[in-house]
Amino acid sequence: MKDIILTGDRPTGRLHLGHYVGSLKNRVKMQNEASYEKMYVMIADSQALTDNFDNPGKIRENLVEVALDYLSVGLDPNKVTFFVQSQIPELTELTFYFLNLVTLSRLERNPTVKSEIKLRNFENSLPAGFLIYPVSQAADILLFDANIIPVGEDQEPMIEQAREIARSFNNIYGKTFVEPKAVLPEAKIARRMPGIDGGAKMSKSLGNAIYLADDKKTIKKKVMSMYTDPNHINIDDPGKVEGNIVFTYLDVFSKPEHFEKFLPDYENLDALKDHYRKGGLGDVKCKKFLIKVLEEELEPIRQRRMEYEKDLSKVFKILEEGTAKARKVGEEKVSQVKKAMGINYFEDTDLIKSLEEKYK
Ligand code: TRP
């Protein structure tokens, strides 16, 4: 069986370098490997509403931002089916049937949901829709028979719940779903890209993110304000590379040819690190190099974004066509589900016949 890959994002903001390193880059790589049968990328707007129900404008606004980010990093609508969650009613339908297979206490034990409840101060007024979003996420995955789910670590409990739901449904109603598998990024750094302020994970709410759509000036400003080694005060002081965000980013983004091109005094990153550790190398020089390295990566993305920004009707067409395609698949699956559950009354030609037998 060939793989069916599915991933998604909540449209709550523009995507940043953390998303890029943690998943978008890998999605583009997967898309080009062609060893899969289908690849879906979903904009999870219904899920985003579970904790933004009082601010729908934010979701509406960011739908197009996220779509632009997808297209600008090189996800290709000819290879990937993009779709919008809320426009597939079959997802809601499946969620409703799945809810019977999950207990409240199981939902309350989901570690990601648990920490999100705290984070959002939902302890005393937990919206039911928020608590059950893992069930809706299981529907996202299972409706499309997706078996490979590339996600971050925090999403593992969601995939585990989807597996349990699939198993439970199959046990009760007969084999209908495949059990999906979470695929985590290999590189450790990709699992937790730090923000420009140091230790914490890059995130919109912490205000420490570099966005894919940031312009050149903003990138420059953000890199210049980056956390380095607080004890590296004078150029001649020995510096620390570990925990120094400039070097963390160089680890991720710099390539050997960047040294030749922008910093020919150093053979490679190790040579630059050695000099920094010994002392005699200033932060500004390293930061200026990082700006050039990031620009190499981000400029083509920015260009592609600008092209799509000029043609928004094309962007919406891509979403609409992808959604229509996904919906066909979803309709097919739901009719299978209803048949398995015996609630396909009007499609079941044998039903009347067998009743006639009974009432003869
Ligand atoms: N919960 C995911 C996130 O917050 C988004 C998401 C929704 C998702 N449905 C999905 C991811 C299905 C993978 C598969 O990032």
Side-chain angles (χ1 to χ4, degrees):
M1 189 188 75
K2 272 197 158 182
D3 292 330
I4 298 180
I5 305 167
L6 185 141
T7 58
D9 300 278
R10 299 178 182 196
T12 52
R14 291 182 169 193
L15 302 180
H16 53 60
L17 284 189
H19 298 115
Y20 183 63
V21 171
S23 70
L24 294 173
K25 243 179 135 159
N26 188 42
R27 289 184 202 171
V28 175
K29 194 171 146 245
M30 281 185 154
Q31 141 191 297
N32 294 326
E33 275 165 1
S35 62
Y36 56 90
E37 184 183 323
K38 271 184 212 145
M39 183 165 165
Y40 296 98
V41 175
M42 174 186 63
I43 304 186
D45 61 337
S46 309
Q47 187 178 111
L49 281 166
T50 63
D51 62 336
N52 290 281
F53 50 86
D54 51 355
N55 193 3
K58 175 172 151 189
I59 307 307
R60 187 180 165 93
E61 208 174 285
N62 283 304
L63 179 97
V64 68
E65 295 295 346
V66 169
L68 284 166
D69 286 331
Y70 285 161
L71 294 165
S72 69
V73 297
L75 285 172
D76 176 354
N78 294 313
K79 296 179 176 160
V80 172
T81 305
F82 296 103
F83 69 92
V84 180
Q85 187 186 27
S86 63
Q87 306 305 300
I88 312 245
E90 288 72 18
L91 285 173
T92 324
E93 199 173 349
L94 195 57
T95 302
F96 194 65
Y97 300 134
F98 282 173
L99 280 169
N100 297 328
L101 309 177
V102 183
T103 62
L104 266 188
S105 65
R106 175 64 183 88
L107 284 166
E108 284 162 351
R109 270 203 313 278
N110 183 311
T112 301
V113 172
K114 242 168 134 170
S115 64
E116 286 176 331
I117 287 173
K118 274 213 191 87
L119 203 73
R120 288 164 177 70
N121 288 319
F122 276 165
E123 281 115 326
N124 295 319
S125 60
L126 180 59
F130 185 79
L131 182 66
I132 65 134
Y133 91 72
V135 182
S136 128
Q137 185 157 338
D140 298 339
I141 295 166
L142 300 181
L143 186 69
F144 299 101
D145 290 323
N147 61 324
I148 300 283
I149 317 299
V151 281
E153 257 166 2
D154 64 320
Q155 294 297 305
E156 266 187 305
M158 304 300 160
I159 315 305
E160 189 50 40
Q161 272 211 290
R163 296 169 61 79
E164 284 175 27
I165 290 170
R167 213 173 304 146
S168 173
F169 190 101
N170 291 345
N171 277 335
I172 300 170
Y173 306 110
K175 173 102 179 89
T176 309
F177 294 108
V178 291
E179 288 184 34
K181 198 170 77 193
V183 178
L184 303 180
E186 272 164 44
K188 208 168 146 224
I189 182 68
R191 299 187 179 189
R192 186 172 277 267
M193 186 75 180
I196 57 173
D197 57 352
K201 186 173 169 174
M202 182 177 286
S203 93
K204 181 171 49 91
S205 48
L206 294 171
N208 63 3
I210 292 180
Y211 294 94
L212 289 171
D214 277 347
D215 62 18
K216 207 168 168 169
K217 224 174 103 195
T218 310
I219 299 279
K220 218 168 155 177
K221 215 172 93 196
K222 287 183 177 172
V223 172
M224 281 302 174
S225 76
M226 248 181 200
Y227 179 88
T228 56
D229 171 5
N231 297 315
H232 183 249
I233 297 162
N234 303 305
I235 289 193
D236 290 334
D237 293 340
K240 246 179 90 178
V241 164
E242 290 71 33
N244 183 323
I245 302 304
V246 173
F247 284 98
T248 309
Y249 279 48
L250 285 174
D251 274 331
V252 174
F253 292 105
S254 75
K255 296 184 190 132
E257 60 264 31
H258 292 147
F259 285 88
E260 231 170 277
K261 204 165 157 190
F262 304 128
L263 208 60
D265 292 352
Y266 298 86
E267 202 183 325
N268 53 33
L269 188 54
D270 285 335
L272 191 73
K273 286 180 177 174
D274 281 346
H275 193 187
Y276 193 82
R277 285 197 184 97
K278 259 193 236 130
L281 173 60
D283 282 347
V284 171
K285 188 162 177 178
C286 300
K287 285 178 170 176
K288 282 191 168 152
F289 176 54
L290 176 58
I291 291 167
K292 289 184 181 139
V293 167
L294 283 180
E295 275 301 309
E296 287 265 296
E297 188 97 18
L298 295 180
E299 177 57 17
I301 294 175
R302 208 181 282 136
Q303 285 305 328
R304 219 176 289 137
R305 196 182 217 273
M306 271 157 55
E307 289 304 310
Y308 280 109
E309 281 172 2
K310 277 188 250 163
D311 198 354
L312 289 171
S313 55
K314 183 167 164 191
V315 176
F316 275 94
K317 191 139 201 243
I318 288 169
L319 292 182
E320 198 179 341
E321 284 175 0
T323 302
K325 221 164 115 188
R327 187 155 184 214
K328 275 227 171 69
V329 176
E331 280 169 351
E332 180 58 39
K333 191 74 192 182
V334 160
S335 88
Q336 230 177 298
V337 165
K338 285 177 141 169
K339 188 167 173 213
M341 296 175 76
I343 54 171
N344 58 332
Y345 317 110
F346 306 137
E347 274 83 54
D348 184 357
T349 43
D350 293 339
L351 178 64
I352 294 175
K353 246 187 256 149
S354 66
L355 284 174
E356 280 170 350
E357 277 303 309
K358 183 178 168 188
Y359 290 110
K360 221 184 241 168

